[in-house]
Amino acid sequence: MDPLSDVLSLLKPRSYMAGGFDAGGDWSLQFQKHEGIKCYAVVSGQCWLAVQGVAEPVLLKAGECFLLPRGLPFRLASDLALPPQDALELLRRRREAGVGVINGGGDCMLVGGHFVFNGRHTSILLEALPPISHVHKESDRESLRWSLEKLVQELKERRPGCVLIAQHMAHMMLVQALRLVLAEEESNGVGWLYALADPQIGGAIGALHSDPAQRWTLETLAQHVGMSRSTLALKFKQTVGASPMEYLTRWRMLLAGDRLVHSSQPVSVIAQALGYESDSAFSTAFKRVMGCSPRQYVRDQVAA
């Protein structure tokens, strides 16, 4: 798979909620701190988004999408000067056909999903994103349109299987939104997600993901992507925030953690499959990256 699919598959995102709300008139909703990432899009109308700790609010218009990956409290409103109401309580009481209705609806509709990730190391995805990722280019909005329309249809019609389809559509929106975030030409973010937009650095990450057990060196990786060692080392560090070998070790340990929990393979087999000649070398690297021994990691994950 490609690196983005690799990471999302490893983190196993589960849709905590797929739905939305339809608001009319004057309204203001306060959302509390959340786990994971929220991904929503404006189907019709417009509203304001204000995130705690972010200086400037964002005006969201029809067709635009936004990601909130840091779990910060936020507010959505027709006018931010209005006193907010608790969103969870209000929408729970006023839900019709899978969509919350405020003041009869009709002026602004949002749909999307809330995704919680399995595992302790979700920062590999979330740390690469700013507090608000706003997808607003007209060309980008078109790529989301079909998913939006289908999700709205499923939520409103409530046909058999609608919950499962809505969850899958919300997952599609999440992946599409992440694609669009990393494709933003003006983005200067640091992290592997942004690095995927660079053909050479993205190619280097893809190579490490496709064969993590290979005895990669800076020289062999540089040859693979057609760069000099010094240029690759500098550019990789600048865009990813870590050296190529540091990134490789971290990716190997994330893979190892997943296999330890979800397979019956012993540590020796996992270590060899990821390029380690001895169990002790693997265990040392695992503890350095993951913060505990392989055995303790399994115990913690099972308990969780």
Side-chain angles (χ1 to χ4, degrees), residues 11-298:
L11 296 180
K12 299 176 176 58
R14 52 188 174 88
S15 179
Y16 186 76
M17 187 275 287
F21 65 87
D22 187 5
D26 296 328
W27 58 277
S28 179
L29 298 178
Q30 178 66 46
F31 295 80
Q32 303 304 319
K33 184 176 177 62
H34 61 269
E35 290 185 72
I37 184 170
K38 288 194 173 185
C39 173
Y40 285 95
V42 182
V43 178
S44 60
Q46 66 178 36
C47 66
W48 287 96
L49 166 67
V51 177
Q52 181 177 297
V54 178
E56 296 295 327
V58 176
L59 179 61
L60 302 167
K61 298 181 180 180
E64 297 182 356
C65 177
F66 64 96
L67 300 177
L68 301 174
R70 303 284 181 84
L72 299 171
F74 66 98
R75 187 147 49 106
L76 291 168
S78 60
D79 182 349
L80 291 173
L82 296 169
Q85 295 179 277
D86 182 80
L88 185 62
E89 180 61 28
L90 182 65
L91 295 176
R92 179 186 291 128
R93 288 188 284 107
R94 303 182 182 180
R95 185 168 296 276
E96 297 177 11
V99 176
V101 179
I102 302 169
N103 299 332
D107 290 336
C108 180
M109 184 175 186
L110 282 83
V111 296
H114 176 190
F115 303 92
V116 177
F117 300 90
N118 292 328
R120 299 185 305 173
H121 295 273
T122 58
S123 61
I124 190 174
L125 173 64
L126 304 187
E127 72 184 5
L129 298 169
I132 303 173
S133 292
H134 182 201
V135 177
H136 55 83
K137 289 183 179 179
E138 184 61 38
S139 57
D140 294 344
R141 286 154 57 175
E142 282 298 318
S143 67
L144 286 168
R145 194 173 304 280
W146 183 84
S147 296
L148 277 173
E149 291 174 350
K150 185 65 176 174
L151 180 55
V152 171
Q153 179 185 3
E154 291 297 331
L155 291 171
K156 285 186 172 181
E157 295 182 359
R158 308 297 289 176
R159 292 181 293 175
C162 65
V163 172
L164 186 60
I165 290 179
Q167 288 179 342
H168 284 303
M169 295 308 303
H171 276 83
M172 285 182 62
M173 280 181 57
L174 173 64
V175 176
Q176 285 181 305
L178 289 170
R179 279 179 177 175
L180 297 175
V181 168
L182 70 90
E184 288 281 340
E185 295 179 1
E186 68 270 20
S187 174
N188 294 312
V190 175
W192 69 271
L193 181 65
Y194 294 109
L196 296 182
D198 183 283
Q200 289 178 306
I201 303 303
I205 293 174
L208 298 177
H209 277 234
S210 65
D211 192 2
Q214 181 170 320
R215 294 185 180 181
W216 290 104
T217 64
L218 186 59
E219 182 174 359
T220 58
L221 189 61
Q223 290 175 349
H224 183 84
V225 295
M227 302 175 71
S228 68
R229 290 190 304 169
S230 59
T231 301
L232 173 63
L234 178 61
K235 194 172 183 180
F236 200 101
K237 181 74 172 181
Q238 288 175 336
T239 54
V240 178
S243 72
M245 296 306 103
E246 288 172 339
Y247 182 89
L248 174 60
T249 300
R250 185 183 186 188
W251 179 242
R252 283 172 169 172
M253 295 306 105
L254 289 169
L255 289 174
D258 185 65
R259 295 180 188 181
L260 284 167
V261 174
H262 297 103
S263 79
S264 58
Q265 295 177 331
V267 169
S268 58
V269 172
I270 294 174
Q272 290 181 1
L274 293 175
Y276 290 87
E277 294 182 351
S278 70
D279 293 1
S280 61
F282 167 77
S283 296
T284 298
F286 190 94
K287 188 170 184 178
R288 184 176 71 251
V289 174
M290 307 296 269
C292 63
S293 68
R295 181 173 295 179
Q296 183 63 49
Y297 182 83
V298 173

